[in-house]
Amino acid sequence: MLTQILINGILKGGLYALMAMGMSLIWGVMNIINIAHGSFIMLGAYTTYWFFTLYGIDPFVSILLSMVLIFFLGFFIQKFIINFVIGASLFITLLLAFGIEILINNLALLFWTADVKSVQVSYGGANIEILGAVIPTVRLFAFLLAIAVSIILFIIMNKTWLGRAIRSTAQDLDAARLNGVNVGKIYSITFGIGTAVAAAAGTLWAVIFPISPTMGGHLTLKSFVVTIIGGLGTMMGPLVGGLSLGIVESLGTNWFGSTFENLISFTILVLVLIFKPNGILGKKE
């Protein structure tokens, strides 16, 4: 029983980690709390839904298409909208992100209506057994894909020129400019990468859970909680935060019931802010 609960928590935590990585990246580099982040996750989910229902493309294949499409959407939103408030106060950037969220959500309602939808693949009912625990195959695939995307993002950030440019822009703007980094372009690419990772999370979410145009707000809060728990300023923070939250939620909902899931999440958030405000892996300022 305990093994089943822990594995369920780890599988869900992997998805939480992927959701939070995009938010953490944008926050760490641009100092913007993207409260529209959940809307980009929702767009990734519905893009996958469209590819599946209109063209029959398997979600684990169309995830790449969703990521590319939402990357360019995020790139141009940063370039032509958010770029105008870079360096502005936190209040202004929050207002703008809130406006973008409202716009995206209402367009989603227009295109897909408020009806709850789902992506039901033919192998959705298949299970495998590990250590006596029964695991739905799609959840295991989603977890492995979430880890794979996280590793690719980690390699890009640590082993490529683009990753070094993004990290130098986050650490010292003037030094980055002196070294020939086009900071404006790096901001747009960073936002695009953040939204592409959100789209990947949305694709995996659509395979496991029902989707609706209003799902973004809830997922933004989850991403925010995971980012804070893991700690801002480190690539491993979202992964540690996501797995921690997933396991604790799984244990907590088993004892107290699923209706207490959000209460458990925000209780952990409050405890982290009180006893370790920089998060588990966050750097001290």
Side-chain angles (χ1 to χ4, degrees), residues 27-48:
W27 191 350
V29 175
M30 303 170 66
N31 198 28
I32 288 177
I33 302 174
N34 182 23
I35 57 175
H37 187 71
S39 296
F40 289 102
I41 297 176
M42 178 270 294
L43 284 179
Y46 270 98
T47 305
T48 297

Side-chain angles (χ1 to χ4, degrees), residues 12 16 205 209 218 222 245 248-250 252-253 256-268:
K12 196 170 186 180
Y16 282 167
W205 188 276
F209 304 106
H218 170 71
K222 287 287 184 186
L245 182 63
V248 174
E249 268 191 6
S250 184
T253 53
F256 304 112
S258 58
T259 54
F260 288 88
E261 180 181 296
N262 287 333
L263 177 62
I264 293 168
S265 300
F266 290 109
T267 300
I268 296 170

